Amino acid sequence: MLKIKDIHASIEGKEILKGLTLEVKPGEIHAIMGPNGSGKSTLASVLAGNDTFEVTSGSVDFLGKDLLELGPDERSHAGVFLAFQYPVEIPGVSNINFLKAAINEKREALGEEPITAKEFLKRVKEKASLVELDNKLTNRSVNEGFSGGEKKRNEIFQMAMLEPKLAILDETDSGLDIDALRIVANGVNQLRKEDRSFIIVTHYQRLLDYIIPDFVHVLYNGKIVKTGGKELALELEEKGYDWIKKEADTVTA
Amino acid sequence: MDLAKEMTKEQAVLDSMRSSYKNAVPNSFDSLSNTSLLKLESLEFPTTKLEYWKYTRTGQIANKEWKFGGLENIDLPENLPVSKNRLVFVNGHFDAKRSSLPTAEGLTILPFAKSGIASTIAQGEEDIFRAWNTAMPQDGYHIRVAKNKAIQDSLQIVFLYSGQNTISQPRSFVEVAENSELKISEFHIHSAGSLAFANVHSEAVVGDNAHLKIDIVQHGSEKGFHLHETFGEQGKNCTYTQNTFTLSGNWTRNNSTIRLIDEHSECNLNGFYIPNLKEHIDNHTIVDHEKPNCVSNELYRGVLLDKSTGVFNGKVFVRQDAQKTNAFQSNGNIIASDTATMNSKPELEIYADDVKCSHGSTTGQLDDEAMFYLMARGLSKENARKLLINAFAEDVLEKLVNEDLREIIEDIIHTKLA
């Protein structure tokens, strides 16, 4: 589904990703862990098409398409979804109207008919309950005046509405208390499908208690330096990142 | 060369106007014009050295010959909301054929020339354009609502301007007497391709306990000039609301001055503007709190595209007597191109000590993060931009008195953003 090959990316001339390679197959859940500043969020932003980051070399193939050639909207139409670490507040833009516009633009790009009002409302009701999102919130301006937990639940709600093929969760767990974390994880688990893959970027192992990954990758200094199963996350939780850093630094030295 | 004999720019322009005025305008205006004609001799065109005209040049008006136009047969805009209470003015002439005056009890509507009004409530420093309008006025409306009458249906008033080097000086006066109510939607439309100068002067007197609400839509041409002066005077416990939508026009200057001369009244001045290409839009407001316990709200929002320029200058006076005044003013601007400019200046002069006054002015670009967020959800760049700008405009659109204007306004905004 997704093939990232030796990708290098920089911001304002500073290289953050330094040759990252990763393959994600349909239905797989990959966790990306790593110390602060290792490039985790950069990876998420680059995949979603945030142009503050410049990709200097490497390639990303998504379902046979050159992902790096597509704008953020086209990536979304192709099935990529990014749950933001810091969802943006947009006063005056209604959550519901914006989602309807987003769904219909995607449908148009795929040559489909616009969603009917009935079908749309049914989906809103169904998906909002998935993350226990209050009806009032779905009708308000995008993220305006939402609590931290409500913002993250709104991200998962939007993900459910847009039905992506690849969902990237950028530190969705950060700032969440245990109840909110459970709700978010539960929402994600219900969205797991054979042909839907997830990349879960996180600093802590906690979220992975609820969303069981198939692979855990450790990102350090812009590269994946270690890959393992879910037990690797537990090991990191216990021992921290220092041993990984040491190992990696020895190899490069 | 004898410099003393050389005509000044002002005299040259005046001469060209005067010769056509006599033909174009009925004699009824003579009483008003004779006294004020004298004043004209001493007034000069303002330059950018004057604070009041710092960012708006008048040279393009000063260096042309202007002639009064006739009652041309110009089409009304197709998407004009349907109204059975319509007044139409063309180049300063009342178009009786296309007007349908309502016959509500207590409502008097006349073309200005027939009103016999020979006075003005305008105050402040003499200004050449105001003096022109006073000396050579043309038809606008004279509307009077009698005591205790709430006029249900909104009045639609359409001013059309056309021709080349055509000047129009409509003069209007509206009086809403004690405990009465009136709503107006006003259009000022310059024909495409015309080079007209509309020098508009309107006055409003709102009586005790009365309510006057006006929406103004300005749609200029790519070459024309639109100067729009409104003066308002508010009595006790009354409301005056004015929403001005400047949707296009090469050069637009709006001067709105409201005096709160009694207690417990409310004044709302709102505006939205979206200039593109090299359009220039200047909003000057003065709200004068002369008595205690009044509220004023000002909300102006602008989106500046291409090489356009915008000006906002909001002056609020709170006189010594005006304790317990609440005055709020906000001007927000989105600069949607690298080459657009905005000058925004709030001016508060407060002489009372127990008042609440606030003002805010923000000018910035479209929020990059919000743009990326919307695009990451599948919205095209164009649609994301539209959505953000519409949300911004909505702050003012929601103040509309006449909801049926929304479509015509939104249509033009969308066309400009396309």
Side-chain angles (χ1 to χ4, degrees), chain A residues 49-50 72-73 76-77 81-82 84 88 90-93 98 102 105 142-143 155 158 162, chain B residues 367 369-381 383-384 387-388 390-392 394:
Chain A
N50 187 340
D73 48 336
S76 170
H77 300 161
F81 180 91
L82 170 67
F84 282 63
V88 186
I90 312 180
V93 174
F98 137 67
E105 273 204 46
V142 180
N143 294 321
E155 293 294 287
Q158 291 181 29
L162 292 166
Chain B
D367 184 353
E369 283 185 37
M371 282 291 289
F372 176 61
Y373 189 83
L374 294 174
M375 287 174 74
R377 295 293 177 260
L379 266 66
S380 65
K381 191 171 190 174
N383 285 342
L387 201 63
L388 290 178
N390 282 340
F392 187 70
E394 184 56 34

mmCIF file of all heavy atoms in Angstrom, chain A residues 49-50 72-73 76-77 81-82 84 88 90-93 98 102 105 142-143 155 158 162, chain B residues 367 369-381 383-384 387-388 390-392 394:
data_model
loop_
_atom_site.group_PDB
_atom_site.id
_atom_site.type_symbol
_atom_site.label_atom_id
_atom_site.label_comp_id
_atom_site.label_asym_id
_atom_site.label_seq_id
_atom_site.Cartn_x
_atom_site.Cartn_y
_atom_site.Cartn_z
ATOM 1 N N GLY A 49 1.502 16.035 3.130
ATOM 2 C CA GLY A 49 1.716 17.063 2.107
ATOM 3 C C GLY A 49 1.869 18.476 2.644
ATOM 4 O O GLY A 49 1.605 19.449 1.940
ATOM 5 N N ASN A 50 2.307 18.592 3.887
ATOM 6 C CA ASN A 50 2.552 19.925 4.448
ATOM 7 C C ASN A 50 3.799 20.529 3.798
ATOM 8 O O ASN A 50 4.903 20.008 3.934
ATOM 9 C CB ASN A 50 2.762 19.800 5.963
ATOM 10 C CG ASN A 50 2.850 21.149 6.635
ATOM 11 O OD1 ASN A 50 3.123 22.159 5.992
ATOM 12 N ND2 ASN A 50 2.606 21.163 7.930
ATOM 13 N N PRO A 72 -2.002 18.249 -0.896
ATOM 14 C CA PRO A 72 -2.651 17.663 0.287
ATOM 15 C C PRO A 72 -4.090 17.219 0.012
ATOM 16 O O PRO A 72 -4.518 16.172 0.508
ATOM 17 C CB PRO A 72 -2.651 18.802 1.311
ATOM 18 C CG PRO A 72 -1.790 19.870 0.783
ATOM 19 C CD PRO A 72 -1.519 19.610 -0.660
ATOM 20 N N ASP A 73 -4.833 18.012 -0.805
ATOM 21 C CA ASP A 73 -6.218 17.645 -1.109
ATOM 22 C C ASP A 73 -6.285 16.374 -1.952
ATOM 23 O O ASP A 73 -7.111 15.497 -1.717
ATOM 24 C CB ASP A 73 -6.951 18.809 -1.800
ATOM 25 C CG ASP A 73 -6.171 19.420 -2.951
ATOM 26 O OD1 ASP A 73 -4.921 19.297 -2.962
ATOM 27 O OD2 ASP A 73 -6.790 20.016 -3.851
ATOM 28 N N SER A 76 -5.648 13.378 0.130
ATOM 29 C CA SER A 76 -6.850 13.043 0.882
ATOM 30 C C SER A 76 -7.833 12.274 -0.004
ATOM 31 O O SER A 76 -8.388 11.262 0.412
ATOM 32 C CB SER A 76 -7.490 14.328 1.416
ATOM 33 O OG SER A 76 -8.759 14.065 1.948
ATOM 34 N N HIS A 77 -7.984 12.752 -1.244
ATOM 35 C CA HIS A 77 -8.881 12.048 -2.172
ATOM 36 C C HIS A 77 -8.400 10.626 -2.446
ATOM 37 O O HIS A 77 -9.189 9.716 -2.634
ATOM 38 C CB HIS A 77 -8.991 12.805 -3.505
ATOM 39 C CG HIS A 77 -9.520 14.196 -3.352
ATOM 40 N ND1 HIS A 77 -9.364 15.168 -4.306
ATOM 41 C CD2 HIS A 77 -10.188 14.788 -2.333
ATOM 42 C CE1 HIS A 77 -9.914 16.295 -3.886
ATOM 43 N NE2 HIS A 77 -10.416 16.090 -2.687
ATOM 44 N N PHE A 81 -5.207 10.052 5.358
ATOM 45 C CA PHE A 81 -5.794 10.925 6.377
ATOM 46 C C PHE A 81 -4.766 11.179 7.472
ATOM 47 O O PHE A 81 -4.115 10.259 7.956
ATOM 48 C CB PHE A 81 -7.031 10.272 6.999
ATOM 49 C CG PHE A 81 -7.686 11.138 8.053
ATOM 50 C CD1 PHE A 81 -8.687 12.031 7.713
ATOM 51 C CD2 PHE A 81 -7.274 11.068 9.382
ATOM 52 C CE1 PHE A 81 -9.279 12.844 8.681
ATOM 53 C CE2 PHE A 81 -7.855 11.876 10.347
ATOM 54 C CZ PHE A 81 -8.856 12.762 9.999
ATOM 55 N N LEU A 82 -4.627 12.450 7.866
ATOM 56 C CA LEU A 82 -3.740 12.778 8.982
ATOM 57 C C LEU A 82 -4.578 13.301 10.149
ATOM 58 O O LEU A 82 -5.309 14.280 10.009
ATOM 59 C CB LEU A 82 -2.723 13.856 8.557
ATOM 60 C CG LEU A 82 -1.883 14.471 9.682
ATOM 61 C CD1 LEU A 82 -0.930 13.449 10.300
ATOM 62 C CD2 LEU A 82 -1.082 15.685 9.195
ATOM 63 N N PHE A 84 -4.301 15.363 13.214
ATOM 64 C CA PHE A 84 -3.287 16.340 13.621
ATOM 65 C C PHE A 84 -2.936 16.239 15.101
ATOM 66 O O PHE A 84 -3.796 15.963 15.935
ATOM 67 C CB PHE A 84 -3.797 17.772 13.348
ATOM 68 C CG PHE A 84 -3.715 18.185 11.913
ATOM 69 C CD1 PHE A 84 -4.449 17.520 10.942
ATOM 70 C CD2 PHE A 84 -2.911 19.254 11.522
ATOM 71 C CE1 PHE A 84 -4.381 17.908 9.605
ATOM 72 C CE2 PHE A 84 -2.835 19.657 10.196
ATOM 73 C CZ PHE A 84 -3.576 18.976 9.234
ATOM 74 N N VAL A 88 -6.429 22.457 14.278
ATOM 75 C CA VAL A 88 -6.519 23.908 14.151
ATOM 76 C C VAL A 88 -7.953 24.385 14.433
ATOM 77 O O VAL A 88 -8.918 23.774 13.977
ATOM 78 C CB VAL A 88 -6.113 24.331 12.721
ATOM 79 C CG1 VAL A 88 -6.057 25.849 12.605
ATOM 80 C CG2 VAL A 88 -4.766 23.725 12.348
ATOM 81 N N ILE A 90 -10.885 26.816 13.644
ATOM 82 C CA ILE A 90 -11.272 27.661 12.505
ATOM 83 C C ILE A 90 -12.626 28.316 12.784
ATOM 84 O O ILE A 90 -13.670 27.759 12.463
ATOM 85 C CB ILE A 90 -11.305 26.851 11.194
ATOM 86 C CG1 ILE A 90 -10.032 26.015 11.061
ATOM 87 C CG2 ILE A 90 -11.459 27.781 10.002
ATOM 88 C CD1 ILE A 90 -9.961 25.174 9.812
ATOM 89 N N PRO A 91 -12.621 29.508 13.381
ATOM 90 C CA PRO A 91 -13.873 30.189 13.709
ATOM 91 C C PRO A 91 -14.696 30.471 12.457
ATOM 92 O O PRO A 91 -14.139 30.807 11.416
ATOM 93 C CB PRO A 91 -13.424 31.512 14.355
ATOM 94 C CG PRO A 91 -11.982 31.345 14.664
ATOM 95 C CD PRO A 91 -11.444 30.307 13.731
ATOM 96 N N GLY A 92 -15.990 30.294 12.582
ATOM 97 C CA GLY A 92 -16.884 30.648 11.479
ATOM 98 C C GLY A 92 -17.089 29.564 10.442
ATOM 99 O O GLY A 92 -17.945 29.681 9.581
ATOM 100 N N VAL A 93 -16.267 28.498 10.500
ATOM 101 C CA VAL A 93 -16.441 27.400 9.550
ATOM 102 C C VAL A 93 -17.078 26.229 10.290
ATOM 103 O O VAL A 93 -16.483 25.684 11.216
ATOM 104 C CB VAL A 93 -15.097 26.967 8.933
ATOM 105 C CG1 VAL A 93 -15.276 25.737 8.060
ATOM 106 C CG2 VAL A 93 -14.481 28.105 8.129
ATOM 107 N N PHE A 98 -18.173 21.823 6.554
ATOM 108 C CA PHE A 98 -16.839 21.610 6.014
ATOM 109 C C PHE A 98 -16.626 20.130 5.689
ATOM 110 O O PHE A 98 -16.075 19.771 4.651
ATOM 111 C CB PHE A 98 -15.823 22.193 7.005
ATOM 112 C CG PHE A 98 -14.607 21.373 7.274
ATOM 113 C CD1 PHE A 98 -13.667 21.146 6.289
ATOM 114 C CD2 PHE A 98 -14.383 20.852 8.534
ATOM 115 C CE1 PHE A 98 -12.533 20.396 6.558
ATOM 116 C CE2 PHE A 98 -13.257 20.105 8.795
ATOM 117 C CZ PHE A 98 -12.331 19.874 7.804
ATOM 118 N N ALA A 102 -15.862 18.436 2.141
ATOM 119 C CA ALA A 102 -14.693 17.572 1.967
ATOM 120 C C ALA A 102 -15.093 16.241 1.340
ATOM 121 O O ALA A 102 -14.454 15.755 0.392
ATOM 122 C CB ALA A 102 -14.007 17.348 3.313
ATOM 123 N N GLU A 105 -16.037 16.807 -2.313
ATOM 124 C CA GLU A 105 -14.886 17.050 -3.205
ATOM 125 C C GLU A 105 -14.176 15.749 -3.532
ATOM 126 O O GLU A 105 -13.729 15.525 -4.649
ATOM 127 C CB GLU A 105 -13.908 18.052 -2.578
ATOM 128 C CG GLU A 105 -14.293 19.476 -2.901
ATOM 129 C CD GLU A 105 -13.125 20.453 -2.824
ATOM 130 O OE1 GLU A 105 -12.033 20.150 -3.363
ATOM 131 O OE2 GLU A 105 -13.318 21.522 -2.213
ATOM 132 N N VAL A 142 -15.287 24.567 13.495
ATOM 133 C CA VAL A 142 -14.238 23.554 13.573
ATOM 134 C C VAL A 142 -13.303 23.797 14.772
ATOM 135 O O VAL A 142 -12.603 24.805 14.816
ATOM 136 C CB VAL A 142 -13.399 23.529 12.270
ATOM 137 C CG1 VAL A 142 -12.305 22.471 12.365
ATOM 138 C CG2 VAL A 142 -14.284 23.276 11.062
ATOM 139 N N ASN A 143 -13.376 22.908 15.725
ATOM 140 C CA ASN A 143 -12.491 22.881 16.901
ATOM 141 C C ASN A 143 -12.552 24.122 17.796
ATOM 142 O O ASN A 143 -11.821 24.202 18.783
ATOM 143 C CB ASN A 143 -11.023 22.668 16.482
ATOM 144 C CG ASN A 143 -10.803 21.301 15.870
ATOM 145 O OD1 ASN A 143 -11.370 20.322 16.330
ATOM 146 N ND2 ASN A 143 -10.004 21.240 14.820
ATOM 147 N N GLU A 155 -10.977 14.681 15.560
ATOM 148 C CA GLU A 155 -10.088 14.178 14.508
ATOM 149 C C GLU A 155 -10.487 12.760 14.110
ATOM 150 O O GLU A 155 -10.564 12.438 12.921
ATOM 151 C CB GLU A 155 -8.622 14.178 14.988
ATOM 152 C CG GLU A 155 -8.013 15.551 15.213
ATOM 153 C CD GLU A 155 -7.862 16.335 13.928
ATOM 154 O OE1 GLU A 155 -6.979 16.025 13.112
ATOM 155 O OE2 GLU A 155 -8.666 17.276 13.743
ATOM 156 N N GLN A 158 -13.707 12.786 12.191
ATOM 157 C CA GLN A 158 -13.497 13.172 10.786
ATOM 158 C C GLN A 158 -12.902 12.017 9.988
ATOM 159 O O GLN A 158 -13.254 11.784 8.832
ATOM 160 C CB GLN A 158 -12.567 14.389 10.708
ATOM 161 C CG GLN A 158 -13.204 15.653 11.248
ATOM 162 C CD GLN A 158 -12.285 16.852 11.136
ATOM 163 O OE1 GLN A 158 -11.448 16.921 10.256
ATOM 164 N NE2 GLN A 158 -12.431 17.796 12.042
ATOM 165 N N LEU A 162 -14.475 10.299 6.666
ATOM 166 C CA LEU A 162 -13.791 10.329 5.369
ATOM 167 C C LEU A 162 -13.337 8.940 4.898
ATOM 168 O O LEU A 162 -12.891 8.785 3.766
ATOM 169 C CB LEU A 162 -12.600 11.295 5.422
ATOM 170 C CG LEU A 162 -12.999 12.775 5.551
ATOM 171 C CD1 LEU A 162 -11.800 13.631 5.929
ATOM 172 C CD2 LEU A 162 -13.606 13.284 4.253
ATOM 173 N N ASP B 367 -4.641 32.278 7.336
ATOM 174 C CA ASP B 367 -3.924 31.399 8.234
ATOM 175 C C ASP B 367 -3.435 30.134 7.495
ATOM 176 O O ASP B 367 -4.236 29.317 7.054
ATOM 177 C CB ASP B 367 -4.894 31.036 9.365
ATOM 178 C CG ASP B 367 -4.241 30.195 10.438
ATOM 179 O OD1 ASP B 367 -3.086 29.777 10.236
ATOM 180 O OD2 ASP B 367 -4.899 29.975 11.474
ATOM 181 N N GLU B 369 -1.933 27.492 8.581
ATOM 182 C CA GLU B 369 -2.253 26.237 9.268
ATOM 183 C C GLU B 369 -3.687 25.811 8.991
ATOM 184 O O GLU B 369 -3.969 24.636 8.779
ATOM 185 C CB GLU B 369 -2.069 26.388 10.782
ATOM 186 C CG GLU B 369 -0.623 26.355 11.216
ATOM 187 C CD GLU B 369 -0.503 26.397 12.736
ATOM 188 O OE1 GLU B 369 -1.356 25.791 13.420
ATOM 189 O OE2 GLU B 369 0.416 27.058 13.233
ATOM 190 N N ALA B 370 -4.589 26.799 9.007
ATOM 191 C CA ALA B 370 -5.996 26.493 8.729
ATOM 192 C C ALA B 370 -6.145 26.023 7.285
ATOM 193 O O ALA B 370 -6.889 25.084 6.996
ATOM 194 C CB ALA B 370 -6.867 27.708 8.995
ATOM 195 N N MET B 371 -5.396 26.676 6.365
ATOM 196 C CA MET B 371 -5.444 26.270 4.959
ATOM 197 C C MET B 371 -5.003 24.812 4.806
ATOM 198 O O MET B 371 -5.661 24.022 4.124
ATOM 199 C CB MET B 371 -4.517 27.161 4.113
ATOM 200 C CG MET B 371 -5.074 28.528 3.776
ATOM 201 S SD MET B 371 -6.461 28.455 2.640
ATOM 202 C CE MET B 371 -5.660 27.987 1.105
ATOM 203 N N PHE B 372 -3.879 24.458 5.459
ATOM 204 C CA PHE B 372 -3.372 23.084 5.330
ATOM 205 C C PHE B 372 -4.352 22.091 5.937
ATOM 206 O O PHE B 372 -4.602 21.024 5.386
ATOM 207 C CB PHE B 372 -1.986 22.955 5.986
ATOM 208 C CG PHE B 372 -1.465 21.545 5.971
ATOM 209 C CD1 PHE B 372 -1.239 20.887 4.765
ATOM 210 C CD2 PHE B 372 -1.218 20.864 7.157
ATOM 211 C CE1 PHE B 372 -0.779 19.581 4.737
ATOM 212 C CE2 PHE B 372 -0.769 19.555 7.137
ATOM 213 C CZ PHE B 372 -0.553 18.915 5.928
ATOM 214 N N TYR B 373 -4.922 22.472 7.075
ATOM 215 C CA TYR B 373 -5.884 21.587 7.745
ATOM 216 C C TYR B 373 -7.059 21.270 6.820
ATOM 217 O O TYR B 373 -7.434 20.114 6.636
ATOM 218 C CB TYR B 373 -6.384 22.263 9.018
ATOM 219 C CG TYR B 373 -7.216 21.388 9.926
ATOM 220 C CD1 TYR B 373 -6.620 20.520 10.838
ATOM 221 C CD2 TYR B 373 -8.607 21.437 9.886
ATOM 222 C CE1 TYR B 373 -7.383 19.730 11.682
ATOM 223 C CE2 TYR B 373 -9.381 20.650 10.728
ATOM 224 C CZ TYR B 373 -8.764 19.796 11.626
ATOM 225 O OH TYR B 373 -9.529 19.023 12.464
ATOM 226 N N LEU B 374 -7.615 22.304 6.201
ATOM 227 C CA LEU B 374 -8.770 22.105 5.316
ATOM 228 C C LEU B 374 -8.388 21.292 4.078
ATOM 229 O O LEU B 374 -9.127 20.419 3.640
ATOM 230 C CB LEU B 374 -9.360 23.457 4.894
ATOM 231 C CG LEU B 374 -9.981 24.290 6.018
ATOM 232 C CD1 LEU B 374 -10.404 25.663 5.511
ATOM 233 C CD2 LEU B 374 -11.185 23.575 6.621
ATOM 234 N N MET B 375 -7.192 21.581 3.543
ATOM 235 C CA MET B 375 -6.755 20.849 2.348
ATOM 236 C C MET B 375 -6.457 19.392 2.668
ATOM 237 O O MET B 375 -6.715 18.497 1.872
ATOM 238 C CB MET B 375 -5.543 21.533 1.719
ATOM 239 C CG MET B 375 -5.906 22.823 1.011
ATOM 240 S SD MET B 375 -4.447 23.706 0.425
ATOM 241 C CE MET B 375 -3.988 22.668 -0.979
ATOM 242 N N ALA B 376 -5.909 19.151 3.854
ATOM 243 C CA ALA B 376 -5.608 17.774 4.248
ATOM 244 C C ALA B 376 -6.885 16.952 4.399
ATOM 245 O O ALA B 376 -6.856 15.734 4.386
ATOM 246 C CB ALA B 376 -4.815 17.751 5.559
ATOM 247 N N ARG B 377 -8.014 17.654 4.517
ATOM 248 C CA ARG B 377 -9.296 16.938 4.602
ATOM 249 C C ARG B 377 -9.939 16.788 3.226
ATOM 250 O O ARG B 377 -11.055 16.293 3.113
ATOM 251 C CB ARG B 377 -10.248 17.693 5.533
ATOM 252 C CG ARG B 377 -9.809 17.747 6.982
ATOM 253 C CD ARG B 377 -9.845 16.369 7.629
ATOM 254 N NE ARG B 377 -9.350 16.405 8.993
ATOM 255 C CZ ARG B 377 -8.115 16.038 9.354
ATOM 256 N NH1 ARG B 377 -7.273 15.607 8.435
ATOM 257 N NH2 ARG B 377 -7.740 16.100 10.609
ATOM 258 N N GLY B 378 -9.263 17.332 2.200
ATOM 259 C CA GLY B 378 -9.748 17.113 0.844
ATOM 260 C C GLY B 378 -10.266 18.343 0.121
ATOM 261 O O GLY B 378 -10.713 18.255 -1.012
ATOM 262 N N LEU B 379 -10.236 19.503 0.768
ATOM 263 C CA LEU B 379 -10.691 20.705 0.076
ATOM 264 C C LEU B 379 -9.589 21.257 -0.828
ATOM 265 O O LEU B 379 -8.428 21.312 -0.420
ATOM 266 C CB LEU B 379 -11.104 21.779 1.085
ATOM 267 C CG LEU B 379 -12.591 21.812 1.431
ATOM 268 C CD1 LEU B 379 -13.005 20.541 2.160
ATOM 269 C CD2 LEU B 379 -12.920 23.015 2.270
ATOM 270 N N SER B 380 -9.960 21.669 -2.027
ATOM 271 C CA SER B 380 -8.963 22.258 -2.917
ATOM 272 C C SER B 380 -8.505 23.580 -2.314
ATOM 273 O O SER B 380 -9.194 24.163 -1.477
ATOM 274 C CB SER B 380 -9.568 22.503 -4.293
ATOM 275 O OG SER B 380 -10.591 23.482 -4.181
ATOM 276 N N LYS B 381 -7.358 24.060 -2.759
ATOM 277 C CA LYS B 381 -6.813 25.318 -2.255
ATOM 278 C C LYS B 381 -7.832 26.437 -2.422
ATOM 279 O O LYS B 381 -8.068 27.249 -1.524
ATOM 280 C CB LYS B 381 -5.535 25.651 -3.027
ATOM 281 C CG LYS B 381 -4.739 26.773 -2.417
ATOM 282 C CD LYS B 381 -3.389 26.893 -3.097
ATOM 283 C CE LYS B 381 -2.513 27.849 -2.311
ATOM 284 N NZ LYS B 381 -1.148 27.904 -2.817
ATOM 285 N N ASN B 383 -11.127 26.223 -2.741
ATOM 286 C CA ASN B 383 -12.294 26.096 -1.872
ATOM 287 C C ASN B 383 -11.964 26.352 -0.405
ATOM 288 O O ASN B 383 -12.783 26.885 0.335
ATOM 289 C CB ASN B 383 -12.948 24.727 -2.038
ATOM 290 C CG ASN B 383 -13.714 24.643 -3.339
ATOM 291 O OD1 ASN B 383 -14.037 25.666 -3.932
ATOM 292 N ND2 ASN B 383 -13.993 23.443 -3.789
ATOM 293 N N ALA B 384 -10.751 25.958 0.000
ATOM 294 C CA ALA B 384 -10.325 26.215 1.380
ATOM 295 C C ALA B 384 -10.256 27.726 1.607
ATOM 296 O O ALA B 384 -10.727 28.249 2.619
ATOM 297 C CB ALA B 384 -8.972 25.565 1.642
ATOM 298 N N LEU B 387 -13.733 29.188 1.756
ATOM 299 C CA LEU B 387 -14.399 28.854 3.017
ATOM 300 C C LEU B 387 -13.922 29.780 4.136
ATOM 301 O O LEU B 387 -14.720 30.297 4.919
ATOM 302 C CB LEU B 387 -14.086 27.392 3.369
ATOM 303 C CG LEU B 387 -15.034 26.689 4.326
ATOM 304 C CD1 LEU B 387 -16.427 26.584 3.748
ATOM 305 C CD2 LEU B 387 -14.518 25.285 4.646
ATOM 306 N N LEU B 388 -12.619 30.023 4.188
ATOM 307 C CA LEU B 388 -12.065 30.882 5.245
ATOM 308 C C LEU B 388 -12.513 32.333 5.056
ATOM 309 O O LEU B 388 -12.850 33.021 6.018
ATOM 310 C CB LEU B 388 -10.538 30.796 5.259
ATOM 311 C CG LEU B 388 -9.953 29.464 5.730
ATOM 312 C CD1 LEU B 388 -8.427 29.483 5.660
ATOM 313 C CD2 LEU B 388 -10.402 29.132 7.145
ATOM 314 N N ASN B 390 -15.218 33.375 3.413
ATOM 315 C CA ASN B 390 -16.656 33.457 3.691
ATOM 316 C C ASN B 390 -16.927 33.520 5.183
ATOM 317 O O ASN B 390 -17.805 34.257 5.630
ATOM 318 C CB ASN B 390 -17.387 32.256 3.106
ATOM 319 C CG ASN B 390 -17.597 32.398 1.625
ATOM 320 O OD1 ASN B 390 -17.550 33.501 1.090
ATOM 321 N ND2 ASN B 390 -17.803 31.300 0.946
ATOM 322 N N ALA B 391 -16.177 32.720 5.938
ATOM 323 C CA ALA B 391 -16.366 32.714 7.389
ATOM 324 C C ALA B 391 -16.055 34.095 7.959
ATOM 325 O O ALA B 391 -16.717 34.589 8.865
ATOM 326 C CB ALA B 391 -15.474 31.663 8.029
ATOM 327 N N PHE B 392 -15.060 34.722 7.382
ATOM 328 C CA PHE B 392 -14.632 36.060 7.808
ATOM 329 C C PHE B 392 -15.699 37.106 7.453
ATOM 330 O O PHE B 392 -16.062 37.956 8.267
ATOM 331 C CB PHE B 392 -13.317 36.346 7.092
ATOM 332 C CG PHE B 392 -12.619 37.601 7.500
ATOM 333 C CD1 PHE B 392 -12.036 37.718 8.742
ATOM 334 C CD2 PHE B 392 -12.521 38.664 6.615
ATOM 335 C CE1 PHE B 392 -11.370 38.869 9.105
ATOM 336 C CE2 PHE B 392 -11.848 39.820 6.966
ATOM 337 C CZ PHE B 392 -11.271 39.915 8.227
ATOM 338 N N GLU B 394 -18.777 36.489 7.027
ATOM 339 C CA GLU B 394 -20.021 36.157 7.730
ATOM 340 C C GLU B 394 -20.210 37.024 8.977
ATOM 341 O O GLU B 394 -21.341 37.356 9.350
ATOM 342 C CB GLU B 394 -20.028 34.664 8.088
ATOM 343 C CG GLU B 394 -21.294 34.153 8.736
ATOM 344 C CD GLU B 394 -22.564 34.404 7.927
ATOM 345 O OE1 GLU B 394 -22.503 34.366 6.693
ATOM 346 O OE2 GLU B 394 -23.615 34.663 8.554
#
